[in-house]
Amino acid sequence: MVLPDRNGYFGNFGGRFVPETLMSALLELESSYRHCKNDPDYWEELHYYYKNYSGRPTPLYYAGRLTERYGKAKIYLKREDLNHTGAHKINNTLGQALLAKRMGKSRVIAETGAGQHGVATATVATLFGLECVIYMGEEDMKRQELNVFRMKLLGGEVIPVASGSKTLKDATNEAMRDWVANLETTHYIIGSVVGPHPYPAMVRDFQAVIGSETREQLLASTGKLPDYLLACVGGGSNAIGFFHNFLEDGQIQLIGIEAAGRGLTTGDHAASLTGGRPGVLHGSLSFLLQDQAGQVSPAHSISAGLDYPGVGPEHAYLKISGRTKYVAVSDPEALQAFKLLAESEGIIPALESAHALAYLEKLMPLTTGEEIVAVCLSGRGDKDVAEVSSVLSAGEEVDKL
Amino acid sequence: MNGVDHKFARLKTSKRKGIITYLTAGDPDLQATEAIVLEMARRGADMVELGVPFSDPVADGPVIQDASKRALVRDVTLEDVLKLAGRLRSRVRIPLLLMSYYNPIFSYGLSNFVDSASCSGVDGVIIPDLPLEESEAFSWDLKKAGIHFISFLAPTSSDQRIKETVERATGFIYCISVAGVTGARDVIPAQAHKLLEKVNSMTEVPLALGFGISSPEQVQSIGKHGSAVIIGSAIMKLVEQGGDGETIARRVGAFLKKFN
């Protein structure tokens, strides 16, 4: 069965938990998207930009030195970090900006945490001549100064959000408030597979290019399918995009890696699926970090892009159905992996992607030399270098990690 | 008969517009909320809407966001507000409405909530992020317990949605005056009048206009199609000015006096 169902549910998760004022916009978006989805011209245009603007297909790289280090399964990296703007986020923003144009909208808004989605949105807004406003938590603006500058350079207006925990969740609240007041002119480009229907399905469809390329590339180079797929999960868009094409291949183990922050038992983490319970935030029913009374708890992760208390509803469904396994790795484990990839392969991964890489430590001893592990390298780490350097100088030196 | 129905029947006979006053419960504390509600009832509020504070109030503007935040510093929960409603039930005669975003209710357990709300004597429940599509079963459960599930309509609602909403609506329909968030505005926009007129032509269920209402002049201007107004941010601004429960209650009382 193709999920979600007509009400936007993946099993028990998903739906549209939004104020009545937004419903008409969601229904309009759903029908426009359905129309575009069946329109070959739309996909042709999108793939034109994927190829000529963003640089797709991104390589599937055999990480020989990393493979050698573990001496077990072969490790392949899907190089989403080589996309224009440095992460998989642009797969989605290109799709939504083209949709916004077809819907006759002149303005796009977005929320951003690490700034990658904000940059990807400002970029496509410039490309297609759309006015662009980005909401970003004050805390995140401090952590990601360089991306704030990039968004401004690209012509985006960055609005600091001082409410709540001043991070991604609050930026999302503020973007929803903007949208509800500007429905006529504005399309809200949500950056992950979260939010009310049709966003989780639509963003998944745009990101599914990651998995379908991976399948083709791996078959072409090895004649085999992977045995394991690893991707980090914050909202979960790179993971869903990576997994989607392989859901029916039951023998392939899909593993989503969340941010355990300072540890699952400390409460300072961002692992909604491994450490949360079902709840409703930002328009959909999924797993959520919350207190006893149903108030949303602040998330923590060293990676601003994973620092979100919710997660896409399709992940909640994949967890409950057992198709995907979800685990969590801590800040220090992610930092180790960050360093390891830089040293072994000359690739500096985004801290988000470093979480997926960190799980290799646990997985690789269980694999065999015949097997293949594919990791989604969702973004590059240039944006994180300053943060990592300050964390390391506050604690240990790089060498001692 | 449910208190809300009784109230609207009386408003109709007396040809008066109803005043529904909103308060974020627990700001500055629950005792103060209780004192303010008692004063509101004395000063002619026709119904009171008790707001459960929430960490992510997406339908609210800055004033109610801040009120929510202040109440949450004191860890005010849905359960606290249900208990408060229970205490108030024995002290005031006006209908009590409970406003909450969906997650605190979902977390409490839907059937638990229906039982507790019923025990506390709550007359109606308002959930801003639970639209038509998601509320069918729950609104029915509330109805069976004698509690109205208050439906929303907005200037952006299509004719089809208005039709489906009025078919299910009981108690009253919360008409949103403007596409936007809560917060006081100077005038009632033309689109609000259009909405009231359109909806009124399709149902007997009374209509209450909310979002941006703050003055007696606005109440007079809602015209024949609306039966009541909901005043929220304007009151929470008075709460925000501070002081103990009695001081705030006097301030709110003086404000409401202008509406008589």
Side-chain angles (χ1 to χ4, degrees):
Chain A
M1 194 175 83
V2 182
L3 292 175
D5 67 17
R6 55 185 296 273
N7 292 315
Y9 276 85
F10 302 87
N12 293 322
F13 301 99
R16 276 172 295 215
F17 296 85
V18 296
E20 170 64 22
T21 317
L22 274 184
M23 279 305 300
S24 63
L26 289 178
L27 294 169
E28 179 198 355
L29 178 62
E30 188 187 349
S31 100
S32 303
Y33 177 59
R34 196 183 305 125
H35 183 80
C36 284
K37 201 178 167 174
N38 296 319
D39 177 0
D41 289 348
Y42 171 82
W43 289 102
E44 197 182 311
E45 192 177 1
L46 181 57
H47 279 276
Y48 170 84
Y49 287 104
Y50 277 176
K51 178 167 181 255
N52 298 294
Y53 189 70
S54 189
R56 300 207 74 90
T58 57
L60 182 71
Y61 167 69
Y62 170 60
R65 301 226 332 143
L66 195 61
T67 299
E68 217 171 278
R69 180 181 188 276
Y70 291 106
K72 294 279 192 170
K74 289 192 171 61
I75 301 169
Y76 285 81
L77 304 176
K78 179 57 174 164
R79 299 290 308 273
E80 290 301 299
D81 61 318
L82 294 178
N83 269 303
H84 179 44
T85 73
H88 70 293
K89 293 291 183 188
I90 198 159
N91 301 335
N92 169 43
T93 58
L94 278 170
Q96 289 202 47
L98 276 178
L99 185 59
K101 266 191 89 90
R102 292 196 172 206
M103 289 168 73
K105 308 288 181 187
S106 58
R107 177 174 180 265
V108 291
I109 57 172
E111 82 295 336
T112 196
Q116 289 303 105
H117 174 57
V119 168
T121 302
T123 300
V124 299
T126 300
L127 178 64
F128 297 120
L130 300 162
E131 191 191 332
C132 175
V133 172
I134 309 289
Y135 289 91
M136 189 169 188
E138 275 185 351
E139 270 311 306
D140 290 336
M141 285 180 75
K142 270 188 247 157
R143 290 198 282 189
Q144 301 286 346
E145 256 174 87
L146 196 59
N147 268 344
V148 174
F149 178 72
R150 287 167 83 195
M151 285 182 266
K152 289 179 179 166
L153 189 64
L154 290 161
E157 184 188 351
V158 182
I159 300 187
V161 176
S163 59
S165 57
K166 303 174 189 175
T167 60
L168 179 55
K169 110 183 148 69
D170 310 285
T172 307
N173 293 340
E174 218 44 51
M176 287 176 84
R177 292 180 186 120
D178 176 315
W179 197 29
V180 83
N182 298 290
L183 296 169
E184 288 284 310
T185 58
T186 301
H187 172 64
Y188 177 17
I189 302 187
I190 293 185
S192 191
V193 286
V194 300
H197 180 61
Y199 283 100
M202 181 171 74
V203 177
R204 173 198 68 196
D205 293 347
F206 294 139
Q207 295 294 1
V209 67
I210 304 173
S212 55
E213 282 179 10
T214 302
R215 175 186 287 265
E216 270 177 40
Q217 290 165 324
L218 201 58
L219 283 174
S221 64
T222 69
K224 294 204 291 188
L225 287 177
D227 298 281
Y228 299 90
L229 290 180
L230 269 56
C232 66
V233 177
S237 69
N238 88 86
I240 284 286
F242 198 39
F243 297 163
H244 187 64
N245 205 279
F246 298 97
L247 287 175
E248 308 289 314
D249 304 290
Q251 78 286 1
I252 302 177
Q253 267 213 47
L254 311 176
I255 305 172
I257 296 106
E258 295 192 294
R262 300 188 180 99
L264 289 179
T265 52
T266 64
D268 286 340
H269 61 81
S272 325
L273 291 161
T274 34
R277 62 188 167 91
V280 172
L281 177 68
H282 298 147
S284 65
L285 171 54
S286 182
F287 274 64
L288 182 62
L289 300 180
Q290 55 187 317
D291 69 11
Q292 283 289 315
Q295 304 294 341
V296 180
S297 309
H300 163 80
S301 168
I302 189 168
S303 143
L306 300 182
D307 200 346
Y308 181 67
V311 65
E314 190 167 4
H315 283 294
Y317 169 73
L318 293 173
K319 174 190 166 80
I320 294 298
S321 72
R323 178 64 189 95
T324 302
K325 177 174 155 182
Y326 294 93
V327 297
V329 306
S330 67
D331 290 347
E333 289 172 304
L335 280 167
Q336 290 268 15
F338 181 87
K339 188 173 165 256
L340 176 64
L341 194 69
E343 286 175 356
S344 62
E345 296 288 350
I347 299 170
I348 301 174
L351 276 174
E352 291 78 8
S353 324
H355 283 73
L357 294 163
Y359 192 66
L360 290 172
E361 288 290 321
K362 288 164 189 154
L363 177 69
M364 293 311 289
L366 311 174
T367 64
T368 69
E370 306 303 305
E371 292 180 315
I372 293 173
V373 176
V375 183
C376 185
L377 195 64
S378 55
R380 64 173 176 239
D382 307 41
K383 69 182 173 60
D384 295 315
V385 171
E387 169 88 0
V388 171
S389 148
S390 82
V391 169
L392 292 181
S393 61
E396 305 161 79
E397 292 301 315
V398 176
D399 296 340
K400 293 190 202 142
L401 248 181
Chain B
M1 191 185 201
N2 180 291
V4 171
D5 301 325
H6 187 66
K7 174 58 85 174
F8 276 107
R10 285 187 42 191
L11 284 170
K12 198 172 178 183
T13 338
S14 61
K15 297 193 164 61
R16 202 165 60 74
K17 300 295 178 197
I19 305 288
I20 303 172
T21 52
Y22 167 91
L23 259 190
T24 301
D27 175 27
D29 56 53
L30 287 162
Q31 238 182 335
T33 304
E34 195 166 341
I36 302 165
V37 172
L38 294 177
E39 181 66 11
M40 283 171 161
R42 263 198 298 275
R43 294 292 182 178
D46 293 293
M47 290 179 225
V48 170
E49 180 186 346
L50 290 171
V52 177
F54 185 50
S55 52
D56 296 84
V58 291
D60 285 302
V63 173
I64 294 178
Q65 284 176 42
D66 289 349
S68 227
K69 207 168 164 182
R70 288 191 297 269
L72 285 178
V73 170
R74 295 183 176 268
D75 285 324
V76 172
T77 63
L78 171 60
E79 181 147 3
D80 293 331
V81 183
L82 285 164
K83 283 182 183 156
L84 170 68
R87 288 198 298 277
L88 283 167
R89 185 66 293 161
S90 58
R91 300 186 67 184
V92 297
R93 296 181 58 186
I94 57 173
L96 295 174
L97 308 166
L98 187 136
M99 191 294 287
S100 175
Y101 284 86
Y102 188 50
N103 198 52
I105 295 176
F106 181 78
S107 168
Y108 193 83
L110 300 185
S111 70
N112 263 349
F113 174 79
V114 174
D115 292 347
S116 301
S118 171
C119 284
S120 306
V122 168
D123 297 282
V125 173
I126 301 174
I127 309 177
D129 56 348
L130 201 66
L132 196 65
E133 285 79 355
E134 305 292 347
S135 59
E136 192 165 355
F138 188 47
S139 63
W140 179 243
D141 290 344
L142 284 167
K143 195 176 180 179
K144 279 190 291 189
I147 300 170
H148 289 304
F149 175 82
I150 305 302
S151 305
F152 281 91
L153 282 170
T156 53
S157 305
S158 65
D159 290 356
Q160 179 59 28
R161 294 186 67 77
I162 295 175
K163 191 167 158 275
E164 287 170 33
T165 301
V166 301
E167 275 167 17
R168 203 194 296 164
T170 62
F172 67 91
I173 296 172
Y174 193 133
C175 292
I176 298 170
S177 71
V178 58
V181 293
T182 58
R185 292 170 180 89
D186 291 336
V187 288
I188 295 176
Q191 55 180 357
H193 292 291
K194 265 172 67 183
L195 176 69
L196 289 173
E197 184 175 357
K198 191 190 273 180
V199 181
N200 196 37
S201 71
M202 295 165 73
T203 182
E204 293 294 306
V205 178
L207 310 182
L209 189 69
F211 284 40
I213 311 291
S214 59
S215 72
E217 294 72 32
Q218 285 173 316
V219 179
Q220 290 321 308
S221 75
I222 70 164
K224 61 182 176 183
H225 302 296
S227 301
V229 294
I230 300 157
I231 307 172
S233 297
I235 290 172
M236 292 318 295
K237 264 200 155 136
L238 300 174
V239 176
E240 193 182 84
Q241 286 171 22
D244 60 9
E246 292 306 319
T247 312
I248 299 170
R250 270 199 302 278
R251 200 182 293 138
V252 173
F255 170 75
L256 282 181
K257 212 174 148 191
K258 294 189 286 186
F259 289 81
N260 290 334

